[in-house]
């Protein structure tokens, strides 16, 4: 079974600084997707970024970028120029094209200090 | 326009009651899901439907019964509610290009509803 591990329950960053959230996963599949979702206090699940496993290029979305290391099964999220609105729970998630259901990590709570 | 909507957003009920949560998506997607988020924020898949066909049915008590009247709607009915059912339930949808369950095709991103916080007293 696939598993997703987020080893940092909480992280803190100063406004305008950069922070990296870690995620590792375990799978025997070769075709899959990885996602980062953000859950602010409003509890809405918001997609931050997505990566297809077959793409070697790391995905980027404005201030958000990933470091995808397929051999190491690592998928970290880098947030640049952190803003107060980035404060939230961040979930790493895995999905393979066979089962098509998200497997989530336990989440990392990010605090942004003014 | 809300892409994925759920009703109600909050549900407080007594043990033993039967309740339903409704989900609707206006994204034209062909696949819908139910996820459960427990008190420790852990999210887990419960069910998924593709074109009204049940695709994923995780180890969930029989008291939980999903129903999909059409591609745009997926409801969750819960019988004989228990204290342990207290959680946030999320509906999500995505578009699968290709045949579900075949391993072929391309899966698009899942978009989530706002969640329903269920409290069983």
């Amino acid at each position: 079974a696939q598993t997703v591990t987020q080893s940092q329950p909480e992280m803190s960053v100063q406004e305008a600084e950069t922070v990296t959230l870690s995620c590792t996963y375990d799978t025997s599949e070769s075709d899959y997707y990885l996602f980062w979702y953000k859950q602010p206090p409003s509890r809405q699940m918001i997609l931050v970024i997505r990566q297809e496993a077959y793409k070697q290029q790391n995905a980027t979305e404005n201030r958000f970028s990933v470091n995808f290391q397929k051999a190491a099964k690592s998928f970290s999220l880098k947030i640049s120029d952190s803003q107060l609105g980035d404060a939230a729970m961040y979930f790493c998630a895995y999905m393979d094209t066979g089962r098509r259901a998200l497997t989530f990590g336990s989440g990392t709570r990010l605090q942004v200090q003014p | 326009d809300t892409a994925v909507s759920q009703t109600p957003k909050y549900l407080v009920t007594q043990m033993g009651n039967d309740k339903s949560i409704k989900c609707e998506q206006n994204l034209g997607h062909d696949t819908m899901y139910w996820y459960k988020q427990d008190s420790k924020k852990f999210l887990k898949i419960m069910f998924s439907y593709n074109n009204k066909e049940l695709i994923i049915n995780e180890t969930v008590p029989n008291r939980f019964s999903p129903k999909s009247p059409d591609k745009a709607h997926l409801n969750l009915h819960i019988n004989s509610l228990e204290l342990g059912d207290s959680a946030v339930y999320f509906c999500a949808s995505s578009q699968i290009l290709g045949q579900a369950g075949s391993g072929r095709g391309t899966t698009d991103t899942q978009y989530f509803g706002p969640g329903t916080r269920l409290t069983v007293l």
Side-chain angles (χ1 to χ4, degrees):
Chain A
Q2 293 83 7
T3 57
V4 178
T5 302
Q6 293 180 248
S7 58
Q8 306 153 316
E10 289 193 11
M11 292 283 284
S12 183
V13 63
Q14 292 291 128
E15 203 174 359
E17 297 295 309
T18 296
V19 64
T20 299
L21 307 184
S22 300
C23 173
T24 58
Y25 60 95
D26 189 23
T27 183
S28 58
E29 301 290 333
S30 59
D31 192 9
Y32 54 89
Y33 300 82
L34 295 163
F35 303 86
W36 280 97
Y37 281 88
K38 168 185 176 181
Q39 187 178 39
S42 67
R43 82 165 179 250
Q44 177 72 51
M45 294 290 289
I46 302 166
L47 176 71
V48 175
I49 201 164
R50 143 187 168 143
Q51 174 81 43
E52 288 90 341
Y54 68 87
K55 290 186 177 178
Q56 294 185 341
Q57 187 173 6
N58 289 325
T60 62
E61 286 288 341
N62 301 315
R63 298 182 295 107
F64 299 88
S65 61
V66 297
N67 183 3
F68 174 46
Q69 302 288 328
K70 191 172 183 179
K73 295 179 181 173
S74 170
F75 183 61
S76 59
L77 174 69
K78 185 171 84 170
I79 307 174
S80 303
D81 186 25
S82 296
Q83 300 175 0
L84 294 177
D86 294 334
M89 280 286 283
Y90 285 82
F91 291 96
C92 179
Y94 162 98
M95 179 173 64
D96 64 63
T97 56
R99 189 165 178 266
R100 292 185 172 129
L102 290 166
T103 299
F104 287 92
S106 54
T108 296
R109 184 175 299 282
L110 178 66
Q111 295 181 329
V112 181
Q113 307 296 335
Chain B
D1 271 352
T2 304
V4 183
S5 59
Q6 293 179 229
T7 54
K9 288 188 179 175
Y10 297 92
L11 186 52
V12 181
T13 188
Q14 299 287 328
M15 257 193 333
N17 284 351
D18 303 338
K19 290 293 179 185
S20 291
I21 306 172
K22 296 186 176 182
C23 178
E24 177 180 1
Q25 54 95 3
N26 62 6
L27 298 168
H29 288 165
D30 61 4
T31 304
M32 297 183 72
Y33 311 79
W34 280 111
Y35 289 87
K36 178 180 179 181
Q37 186 174 40
D38 64 22
S39 59
K40 295 182 178 178
K41 302 288 188 182
F42 188 68
L43 282 144
K44 189 173 180 182
I45 183 72
M46 299 175 71
F47 304 102
S48 76
Y49 271 78
N50 175 263
N51 283 318
K52 301 194 297 177
E53 179 186 353
L54 182 64
I55 300 298
I56 293 175
N57 185 353
E58 285 294 283
T59 307
V60 175
N62 290 337
R63 299 181 294 102
F64 290 79
S65 53
K67 284 190 171 53
S68 182
D70 55 56
K71 277 195 331 180
H73 296 85
L74 179 61
N75 303 323
L76 183 65
H77 187 75
I78 315 170
N79 289 326
S80 304
L81 278 155
E82 300 178 357
L83 293 176
D85 298 332
S86 295
V88 178
Y89 292 86
F90 284 99
C91 176
S93 75
S94 70
Q95 179 65 32
I96 294 177
L97 304 177
Q99 187 174 2
S102 70
R104 295 188 297 273
T106 303
T107 303
D108 209 349
T109 300
Q110 292 186 24
Y111 295 92
F112 283 77
T116 296
R117 180 177 293 281
L118 171 65
T119 303
V120 182
L121 303 175

